[in-house]
Amino acid sequence: MKGEVWLWLIGGVLFGSLLLRAGQMFVVALILLLVAGASGVWEHYCLVGLGYRRVLGQTRAFFGEQVPLTVEIVNEKPLPLAWLEVEDTVPGPGLSLAPAHVGPSHIPGRRMLTMLLSVRWYERVRRHYSITCDARGFHGFGPAILRTGDVFGLTTREVEVAHEDYLLVYPKIVPLERLALPASNPFGDVPLRRQWLFEDPLRTVGIRDYRPGDSPRRMHWKATARAPDQALQVKLFEPTTTQRLHVLLNISTSGQNWSWHGYDPDTLEAAITTAASVANWGTERGYLVGLAANAKLFHSSAAVRLRPSRDQHQLMHILEALARLVPMPTMAPEALVDLESRELAYGTTVVMVTAVASNELMDRLHRLRRGGHQPAVLLITSAEQPLAPVGGMPAYAIRIEDTR
């Protein structure tokens, strides 16, 4: 509508100059008409053939690593762009970009990368940045807004590039000695009667008749149905000397309301760093390491549950799960212990990482101990708070400062 008003105005001036035979007015009107025509052409074609994309040097990175980012702008038409303004949404303060002009964004936890440049006909422009990964997580880049117009600044058009790119940053890993944990056997000695023999519930080697005291989880119902007189049968598992380490992570940082009471970012990140460090420690010592948390994964409805496994990539699966973890509890920590205890192999070392140690949670861990497992508690705290073993169960206070 605004452009039509200008055209009617210029047309009126041009017609008036012809009636009055005013040469100067005619020239001015003609120039304005040419400007309006050029502006209309720019407005119509400025976004045609305009491309924008980001190229991350890698899609996964370790904490503290630097990742290159290249922004590419392509103008595939003979019409140059006198000015082009780009506003690209980038992750929050945890990831720093250099050299770049980054400002606040209307999206919580995000920032805005702005660029102002000119692009000639059939030109490809690249801007190179370096990302410092100082925050674990699944970080999104995008969407972006491209804004341009005519050279006179009379008209402006914009387009949104909805495509998003993601960079996964693994959590920080620190030595257990830095967390003030004992260098050897931080989670207690394996009892002598269990040092030489475990059973692998994933490998069944036979069956036998039921004996009083056998766990219901060992029942082999199909074999029972085929047995004479349907005598109860139980599974025989392959013996193994491999030890298991199962890390349980409680992401709730407040004991008042586990479902949603907000969370303390520093405490949560300290808990995640501790869980990643324990998993790394166990992998280095040949444990079968697993992870479970009362949370879900980003862009997924799946819960964080990884059974102890022989997979050579198990540690990377654990670190990826911790990186994609959504800081919203899905259940109480006591329920998490109950859920995981149903599938634990006998003699599993269970490390509970939590910022809240309620009586109910400690009671569940003591049940694990009475069931033949080896539980331990790592309590995330902001002050020096030495903990003594609780009922024979190893317990340590992990200071937030020591995880940084």
Side-chain angles (χ1 to χ4, degrees):
M1 185 67 183
K2 183 179 178 181
E4 294 180 359
V5 172
W6 274 102
L7 287 177
W8 279 105
L9 181 60
I10 294 173
V13 173
L14 183 62
F15 184 72
S17 65
L18 292 176
L19 290 178
L20 300 175
R21 296 185 179 181
Q24 293 181 347
M25 184 181 298
F26 177 80
V27 173
V28 171
L30 188 60
I31 294 175
L32 292 176
L33 185 61
L34 292 176
V35 169
S39 177
V41 171
W42 249 296
E43 180 184 10
H44 188 270
Y45 292 103
C46 62
L47 296 179
V48 175
L50 183 62
Y52 180 85
R53 72 180 184 124
R54 310 171 207 88
V55 180
L56 287 166
Q58 58 197 70
T59 57
R60 286 170 167 78
F62 289 96
F63 191 94
E65 192 175 358
Q66 290 192 339
V67 176
L69 169 66
T70 301
V71 173
E72 184 178 85
I73 302 166
V74 181
N75 183 23
E76 297 180 335
K77 60 179 178 294
L79 181 68
L81 301 178
W83 62 275
L84 174 65
E85 183 181 15
V86 179
E87 294 181 348
D88 198 352
T89 308
V90 296
L95 269 63
S96 60
L97 275 71
H101 178 70
V102 181
S105 171
H106 65 282
I107 304 177
R110 308 291 289 274
R111 296 178 300 168
M112 195 70 71
L113 171 65
T114 58
M115 293 171 279
L116 184 61
L117 64 158
S118 60
V119 187
R120 294 176 294 183
W121 49 86
Y122 296 109
E123 185 179 20
R124 187 186 305 268
V125 178
R126 293 186 178 94
R127 294 286 177 89
H128 301 278
Y129 304 97
S130 178
I131 306 171
T132 303
C133 303
D134 290 333
R136 67 97 205 167
F138 198 51
H139 303 285
F141 294 78
I145 299 293
L146 307 184
R147 188 177 297 110
T148 185
D150 63 274
V151 68
F152 311 105
L154 299 177
T155 59
T156 300
R157 292 190 65 189
E158 65 179 37
V159 63
E160 179 180 6
V161 181
H163 176 74
E164 297 185 17
D165 297 283
Y166 290 92
L167 173 63
L168 187 141
V169 180
Y170 297 119
K172 188 177 183 179
I173 296 176
V174 297
L176 294 195
E177 293 82 359
R178 182 172 169 180
L179 303 178
L181 296 178
S184 60
N185 299 328
F187 309 117
D189 295 324
V190 178
L192 292 176
R193 69 183 180 90
R194 288 188 272 136
Q195 281 185 338
W196 61 276
L197 184 63
F198 294 86
E199 287 184 325
D200 189 349
L202 301 179
R203 298 192 177 191
T204 303
V205 295
I207 58 175
R208 62 168 173 79
D209 291 336
Y210 173 82
R211 298 172 186 170
D214 286 337
S215 172
R217 291 180 294 177
R218 301 172 65 102
M219 298 299 299
H220 197 308
W221 298 111
K222 292 183 178 179
T224 299
R226 295 192 299 265
D229 301 327
Q230 295 187 345
L232 293 176
Q233 304 292 307
V234 296
K235 301 176 184 177
L236 289 176
F237 299 124
E238 178 183 347
T240 175
T241 57
T242 303
Q243 300 181 41
R244 289 173 171 79
L245 174 65
H246 200 45
V247 182
L248 302 184
L249 174 62
N250 174 25
I251 69 166
S252 178
T253 60
S254 173
Q256 298 183 20
N257 185 354
W258 62 264
S259 59
W260 182 245
H261 190 71
Y263 69 96
D264 182 353
D266 294 336
T267 302
L268 176 61
E269 293 305 320
I272 293 175
T273 297
T274 301
S277 302
V278 171
N280 180 70
W281 176 89
T283 302
E284 290 178 346
R285 282 153 182 78
Y287 282 74
L288 301 185
V289 182
L291 171 72
N294 54 344
K296 294 184 179 180
L297 300 176
F298 184 71
H299 278 185
S300 173
S301 60
V304 180
R305 295 190 71 192
L306 295 171
R307 305 254 60 82
S309 171
R310 291 182 173 84
D311 187 351
Q312 60 180 345
H313 303 296
Q314 178 74 349
L315 178 60
M316 302 311 298
H317 295 328
I318 291 175
L319 296 181
E320 180 172 344
L322 291 173
R324 296 180 57 192
L325 183 145
V326 177
M328 182 178 294
T330 58
M331 66 181 74
E334 303 85 43
L336 174 66
V337 177
D338 289 339
L339 179 64
E340 294 301 310
S341 64
R342 301 170 187 171
E343 301 181 13
L344 287 178
Y346 184 82
T348 300
T349 299
V350 180
V351 179
M352 184 75 203
V353 181
T354 179
V356 181
S358 64
N359 293 332
E360 293 81 2
L361 177 59
M362 300 303 293
D363 180 65
R364 297 300 197 283
L365 295 176
H366 282 303
R367 290 185 188 178
L368 289 181
R369 183 175 178 83
R370 292 191 295 267
H373 305 296
Q374 188 75 8
V377 177
L378 301 183
L379 181 64
I380 308 301
T381 179
S382 58
E384 290 206 30
Q385 183 181 342
L387 298 181
V390 182
M393 180 173 59
Y396 305 96
I398 306 298
R399 295 196 309 164
I400 296 176
E401 295 180 0
D402 295 334
T403 64
R404 294 172 177 168

